[in-house]
Each structure stands twice: as C-alpha cells, then as structure tokens.
C-alpha cells in the first residue's frame, strides 16, 4: 500500500528525522483511521522523499516536504524505471536536426525501438563550444555556428540548466528527470520543486548522452548544417547539409526538426519550401534585471537567518499592463548575465547559474508579451518579401538586437539603472555598478531605442512588481538589454495526432524552435513525443 503526505517544517528542522516521522504519522491519521491502521499494522514501512518546495510568503520561511509512504510494498528503484535501449538494427534511420534536449531525448526514445538516429548539429561539441563562447567575452568574437545558442546540447547547455516546468500535460516530467539523473545530474533534481543542474555540470551530462547514442549505433555529426530539405510529393526524403565545405544529401525515413529558437535560417527556408507550414505566435522581449544577490535574498527571505542554508533566493513575478503580460523569465539566483548573440551584428543577453548558485548577483529577464498584431507594419511588408508575412515577428526581434549592437560597444551591452530608466534619463557611466556580464556594459537610455510599446509597458510593469515585491526598484537594480530569445515568434504547424508537419509528410517539428516548448524539460518531452509518433508510423498498432 502506498500513500503520499505533505508536511511543513522550518529550514533548521530538515535533518530532524524523528520530528519528520512524527509529522508523517500525524498526516496519515488525518487521512483516516483505515489508512493509519493499515500503516501501523504493516510489517515493512518505508518513507520515500518525493519533493521539497520553499515557501517564503508572509515573512516566514517554511519547507513543504512530500513523502511517499509504503506499507508492505517495495518502492520502485531508479534502475527499474529506466528505459531499455536497443542497438540500432539499421531497418530505419531518422535524421534529427539539432542536438538540444528535443533532439537528444528523441534519439534516446528511438533507440528504445532500435531505430537509428542521425543527429545533425550545425555547431561544435561542448569542448570546442566552450572555447568559442569564451571568445565572445574576451575578444568580442561571435561564431555564428558555435555560441550560447548553437552547439551540442542546445541553448540551455551553457545558459543555466533549469529543469522546472509546468507542462505536465505534455508528458512524464519524472521520466525526463530520471534520465538526467542517470546520465550524471545530482539526485536532488528528483525532489526539488524547482530542479536545476547548473551550467558547470550540464555539458558532462550531455556528453554522456551522446556517448550512449553512439554506443547504440546512432550518429552525431558536428559542424553539419541543414541548408535544404529533399521533398518529393509533399514527403520529406532527407536533407541537404553543409559539412566540411561541401554540400551533401543525407537520406532518411523521417526528419525531426529540433533546431531551437534562434535558427532564423530554418524559418526562411520553410517560408520558401512550405510557407503554409508557418504561423505567427506570441513571444516576448525586454531586459535582464540584475540585483546584488543579498538584495533579493533579503526581499524573499525577509531577513530570516534560518534561510541562509536554503541558498540564493528565487522569485517569480507577473502582472498585466494594457492587456499584455509583463513577467519574469529564467530567474537566475546567484547567477550571471551572459552574451547570447548568435551572430556578430547583434547583442542578446540571457542568464545562467552554476550548480552552487553562489555568485554575488541574482538576475531575471523581465519581458513584455508581444502578439502578432503588435508588430509594426513595416516588418510585415518586409516579411512578405522573404516569403511569408508570419516572419514579421522574427524580423522585428532581429531589429531590436541590431539596435542593441548599435547602442553598445562590441558585445558590451547597453545598460541603465532601473531608477534612471523610470525617470527617462541616461545613467552616468561612473554610476553604473559592477555587474556579472563579462563583456562589459555601456551606459544607454533604453527608452530611446527600445520599441516604445515595450519600454512603456516595462516601466509600468516595474512599478506594479515593486508593489508586490517592495524594494525591487532600488538604486542597485541594473537593466541590461535586450532579452529577446525567451521563445520563437514563429510556430511550425503540425498535426495534433501524428505530429507531422501539416504541409510535409515525414517532417516532425519539435521543441522550442518549432513553437511547442519553452525550456529544457518541455523540449525534451516534446522530442520524446515526436519520436514516439515516428515509432507509431513505422510500427503501427493493429
């Protein structure tokens, strides 16, 4: 027999085993005499820790701990819950364009059926990618194919490794977390309410996944860029790839498109090959706001000394301004702001944290919801020339990033004190504080070049956020711009049942770049779903 209970304790009581068992017994009694009696009479009892969440509301910090309590029943082990992979048998091969979470988890799912995955990655492996990323900060050099957005593991590999998602209807979240743990992630990701791997650990985990795929007969090709699709009778037969300075045609029985949110060239390609497969979608743009970590810890933990053991504090804020959402995204406690441009003519910022989350700063994107109807007409007209009006949001996003470049210096990003932004005045360069963004910052009045409807909503949103989180607006709060890659402005349409692109049979859009996910875990689940759809097409159930 198994049942789940949740108890509430103070942070300094977390290691008090007797207290925890007493509280669990109390919760079982509340559930009913029969349940409590069954557990009391059981010969064997086991308490399995399931989940921990931190509650810092109302001026008191509490921990909510969920336990699964087993009576005369053996809990399932991690090993028992892992998939059984097979060596690829060569009967079918599937090209996966992109080695982010959608691509990697799709490959692992295909290998459960012995289907051979061929992962095509435009960027480099994690070792070379780390070197290319370092050049962004030290020499202002952005490699268009190997950066924070492109390369082995996708955009999340070097920009945080957050595993929290609310997309529980997309698939089995725990199965994704268990695989991350199997490949090397800390077991805490299985129980933390907001699990997080850390950018310092994630590359090794991605490497372990690659090794397993190769061991089972899969293939991973780096510096291999998809440049065209081979389509016959509205059915994909393979792709054309640029590799080693040469173009190659790579045949396949199906293609999973898992290119990530920054692969602008793929949208342009689809606009020419299958324009009806694209639709405009809502996205967001804004800034990174960085505070000294101690400021956020004080705000969230209310000065509670017992909270020090909990580490850097998180926050999540959301409000509405003129019928558009203004909200935080990818909050990085004890983290860094990083340069995430995918081309030399733009500036883009993002956030990350190492596993320890122990830097002097905490940051988050604060962004404004942008709907297709918000895009200025000039971008729609330009998009028509590119093959599809739905590309307008993509072109609008690009202009913001190019304007940031013009108002920065190399990869040094435009920045402004939050209080000065609200007063519409440029921050004196000498008053810009030290920050975590290593390429450096340049004083700029963001009101002068951010699109007015974004700047105005940000200003009002900050005031509303400060009402809920008093002290958010302070003389140490710094804005670094722009944050534009929270999601893609374009969706690649697919059938809800078959997961195939509505215009091209055998093409399976998946993950963030296709508009169906918003983070590592949701992308991984989407990749698994796409792979399962392919399995069903190869081996239909009678």
């Amino acid at each position: 027999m198994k049942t789940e209970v949740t108890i509430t304790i103070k942070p300094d009581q977390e290691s008090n085993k007797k207290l925890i068992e007493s509280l669990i017994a109390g919760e079982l009694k509340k559930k009913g005499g029969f349940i409590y009696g069954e557990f009391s009479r059981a010969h064997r009892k086991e308490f399995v820790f399931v989940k921990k969440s931190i509650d810092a509301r109302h001026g008191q910090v509490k921990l909510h701990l969920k336990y699964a309590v087993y009576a005369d029943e053996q809990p399932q082990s991690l090993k028992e819950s892992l998939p059984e992979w097979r060596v690829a048998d060569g009967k079918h091969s599937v090209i996966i364009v992109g080695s982010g979470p959608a691509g990697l988890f799709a490959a692992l799912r295909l290998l459960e059926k012995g289907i051979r995955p061929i992962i095509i990655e435009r960027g480099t492996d994690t070792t070379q990618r780390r070197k290319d990323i370092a050049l962004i900060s030290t020499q202002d050099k952005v490699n268009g194919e190997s950066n924070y957005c492109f390369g082995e593991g996708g955009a999340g590999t070097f920009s945080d490794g957050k595993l929290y998602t609310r997309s529980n209807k997309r698939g089995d979240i725990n199965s994704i977390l268990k695989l991350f743990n199997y490949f090397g992630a800390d077991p805490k990701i299985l129980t933390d309410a907001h699990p997080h791997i850390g950018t310092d650990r994630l590359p090794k985990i991605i490497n372990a996944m690659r090794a397993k795929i190769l061991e089972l007969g899969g293939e991973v090709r780096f510096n291999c860029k998809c440049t065209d699709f081979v389509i016959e009778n509205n059915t994909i037969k393979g792709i054309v790839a640029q590799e080693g300075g040469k173009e190659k045609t790579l045949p396949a029985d199906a293609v999973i498109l898992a290119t990530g949110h920054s692969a602008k060239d793929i949208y342009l390609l689809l606009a020419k090959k299958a324009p009806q497969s694209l639709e405009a979608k809502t996205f967001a743009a804004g800034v990174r706001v960085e505070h000294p970590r101690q400021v956020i810890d004080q705000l969230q933990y209310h000065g509670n000394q017992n909270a020090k053991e909990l580490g850097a504090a998180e926050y999540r804020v959301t409000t509405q301004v003129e019928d558009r959402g203004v909200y935080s995204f990818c909050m990085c406690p004890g983290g860094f702001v990083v340069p995430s441009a995918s081309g030399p003519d733009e500036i883009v910022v993002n956030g990350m944290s190492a596993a320890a989350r122990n830097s002097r700063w905490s940051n988050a994107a604060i962004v404004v919801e942008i709907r297709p109807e918000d895009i200025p007409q000039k971008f729609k007209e330009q998009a028509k020339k590119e093959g599809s009006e739905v590309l307008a949001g993509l072109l609008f996003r690009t202009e913001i990033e190019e304007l940031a470049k013009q108002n920065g210096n190399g990869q040094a990003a435009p920045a402004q004190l939050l209080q000065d932004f609200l007063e519409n005045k440029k921050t004196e360069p000498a008053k810009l504080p030290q920050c975590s963004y290593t390429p450096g910052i340049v004083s700029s009045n963001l009101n002068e070049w951010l699109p007015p409807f974004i700047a105005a909503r940000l200003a009002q949103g900050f005031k509303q956020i400060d009402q809920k989180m008093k002290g958010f607006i302070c003389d140490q709060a710094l804005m670094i711009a722009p944050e534009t890659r929270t999601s893609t402005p374009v969706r690649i349409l697919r059938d809800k049942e078959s997961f195939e692109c509505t215009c091209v049979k055998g093409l399976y859009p998946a993950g963030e770049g296709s508009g169906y996910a918003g983070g590592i875990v949701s992308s991984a689940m989407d990749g698994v779903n796409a792979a399962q759809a392919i399995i069903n097409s190869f081996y239909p159930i009678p």
Side-chain angles (χ1 to χ4, degrees):
M1 182 179 180
K2 170 192 170 185
T3 192
E4 291 187 343
V5 298
T6 299
I7 62 173
T8 300
I9 62 174
K10 297 177 181 178
D12 58 355
Q13 297 172 329
E14 193 173 1
S15 60
N16 190 331
K17 186 176 179 181
K18 287 186 178 180
L19 173 65
I20 288 173
E21 290 183 356
S22 174
L23 292 173
I24 289 174
E27 289 301 315
L28 289 173
K29 283 184 179 180
K30 291 178 184 178
K31 284 182 174 287
F34 170 76
I35 292 175
Y36 180 69
E38 286 293 301
F39 280 92
S40 297
R41 290 189 294 271
H43 294 94
R44 175 193 177 104
K45 305 183 188 70
E46 285 197 41
F47 304 143
V48 178
F49 182 36
V50 176
K51 192 72 67 178
K52 176 175 77 173
S53 60
I54 300 171
D55 185 350
R57 297 171 296 175
H58 312 303
Q60 292 183 332
V61 180
K62 294 178 280 187
L63 299 181
H64 300 303
L65 307 180
K66 179 187 284 188
Y67 283 85
V69 187
Y70 294 83
D72 289 334
E73 181 180 339
Q74 180 70 34
Q76 187 184 42
S77 70
L78 175 63
K79 186 175 181 180
E80 291 172 331
S81 63
L82 289 171
E84 295 182 6
W85 293 295
R86 306 178 190 175
V87 174
D89 57 24
K91 293 180 181 178
H92 297 284
S93 62
V94 175
I95 287 177
I96 301 173
V97 185
S99 69
L104 290 170
F105 278 80
L108 291 169
R109 180 69 186 96
L110 291 172
L111 285 165
E112 290 182 51
K113 293 295 181 180
I115 297 170
R116 181 170 178 255
I118 304 170
I119 298 178
I120 303 300
E121 172 54 56
R122 68 194 297 163
T124 60
D125 62 24
T126 56
T127 301
Q128 180 58 45
R129 189 179 174 195
R130 191 188 300 274
K131 296 175 184 177
D132 294 331
I133 286 171
L135 294 177
I136 300 174
S137 294
T138 60
Q139 299 181 25
D140 284 329
K141 290 184 178 180
V142 179
N143 184 327
E145 308 299 343
S146 178
N147 45 62
Y148 275 98
C149 294
F150 298 143
E152 184 177 17
T157 304
F158 289 99
S159 56
D160 211 19
K162 288 184 181 65
L163 302 180
Y164 175 66
T165 181
R166 288 171 289 169
S167 301
N168 52 18
K169 294 182 180 179
R170 296 177 184 269
D172 184 356
I173 295 172
N174 286 332
S175 69
I176 302 299
L177 298 180
K178 286 175 182 177
L179 278 177
F180 272 119
N181 175 230
Y182 171 79
F183 285 110
D186 193 304
K188 287 183 179 180
I189 68 168
L190 303 176
T191 54
D192 285 350
H194 289 181
H196 165 260
I197 293 179
T199 191
D200 51 334
R201 297 180 180 178
L202 193 51
K204 289 183 179 180
I205 294 166
I206 299 300
N207 293 164
M209 290 183 178
R210 187 219 312 170
K212 175 60 72 175
I213 291 167
L214 295 176
E215 173 192 328
L216 296 168
E219 187 176 348
V220 181
R221 301 170 76 152
F222 295 112
N223 299 302
C224 186
K225 182 178 181 179
C226 175
T227 57
D228 203 353
F229 303 125
V230 180
I231 300 174
E232 299 176 7
N233 299 320
N234 293 325
T235 301
I236 198 159
K237 298 296 183 180
I239 67 167
V240 177
Q242 187 80 25
E243 185 179 29
K246 298 179 180 178
E247 276 199 341
K248 302 178 180 179
T249 299
L250 305 176
D253 299 310
V255 173
I256 295 178
L257 203 57
T259 51
H261 55 41
S262 294
K264 179 179 176 181
D265 54 318
I266 293 297
Y267 302 125
L268 294 173
L269 176 59
L270 281 168
K272 294 177 181 177
K273 304 284 285 195
Q276 296 305 311
S277 67
L278 302 175
E279 76 170 2
K281 64 177 281 291
T282 296
F283 64 110
V287 298
R288 275 271 149 188
V289 177
E290 181 171 82
H291 293 79
R293 172 184 160 184
Q294 62 183 9
V295 171
I296 298 301
D297 289 356
Q298 177 71 25
L299 288 176
Q300 293 300 87
Y301 294 148
H302 312 284
N304 192 315
Q305 293 299 310
N306 292 330
K308 288 184 177 180
E309 297 179 4
L310 300 177
E314 299 181 56
Y315 66 82
R316 179 174 176 270
V317 291
T318 182
T319 189
Q320 286 277 318
V321 178
E322 297 177 3
D323 197 35
R324 294 292 184 270
V326 178
Y327 56 92
S328 61
F329 179 85
C330 185
M331 197 271 148
C332 300
F336 302 87
V337 180
V338 295
S340 291
S342 52
D345 299 325
E346 63 197 28
I347 287 178
V348 181
V349 297
N350 196 357
M352 57 76 70
S353 299
R357 290 181 161 177
N358 59 359
S359 87
R360 293 188 288 142
W361 299 276
S362 291
N363 70 79
I366 304 295
V367 293
V368 176
E369 175 190 5
I370 302 172
R371 299 178 186 174
E373 59 265 33
D374 299 330
I375 306 300
Q377 184 62 31
K378 72 172 186 176
F379 297 102
K380 297 177 182 179
E381 294 172 0
Q382 183 183 346
K384 286 181 181 179
K385 297 177 182 178
E386 297 284 359
S388 175
E389 187 175 312
V390 303
L391 298 175
L394 190 68
L395 301 178
F396 177 59
R397 181 180 80 176
T398 299
E399 181 172 271
I400 295 173
E401 296 166 356
E402 291 176 348
L403 284 170
K405 177 77 172 183
Q406 295 166 22
N407 286 275
N409 182 14
Q411 281 298 305
Q416 185 176 17
L417 287 172
L418 176 51
Q419 289 181 333
D420 288 343
F421 173 75
L422 296 176
E423 296 175 16
N424 193 17
K425 67 179 184 181
K426 184 177 179 180
T427 301
E428 295 179 25
K431 291 185 177 180
L432 286 174
Q434 283 190 325
C435 71
S436 66
Y437 185 74
T438 53
I441 53 177
V442 176
S443 180
S444 172
N445 187 348
L446 306 186
N447 291 287
E448 294 179 352
W449 59 269
L450 279 177
F453 73 91
I454 293 178
R457 286 189 171 104
L458 278 176
Q460 187 60 35
F462 285 135
K463 295 173 184 177
Q464 294 178 11
I465 289 168
D466 191 66
Q467 290 175 357
K468 301 175 183 177
M469 191 175 170
K470 197 65 179 175
F472 186 88
I473 297 175
C474 66
D475 58 7
Q476 299 179 81
L478 177 69
M479 301 169 61
I480 307 174
E483 172 87 32
T484 50
R485 306 285 178 92
T486 61
S487 66
T488 172
V490 185
R491 178 178 288 113
I492 304 172
L493 297 173
R494 68 186 185 193
D495 183 85
K496 291 182 179 180
E497 299 297 326
S498 71
F499 272 70
E500 284 182 299
C501 175
T502 54
C503 297
V504 184
K505 293 181 179 180
L507 180 64
Y508 293 80
E512 280 197 42
S514 297
Y516 295 99
I520 290 175
V521 171
S522 61
S523 292
M525 289 191 295
D526 204 57
V528 169
N529 292 337
Q532 185 60 52
I534 291 174
I535 291 170
N536 295 343
S537 71
F538 289 167
Y539 304 104
I541 299 174

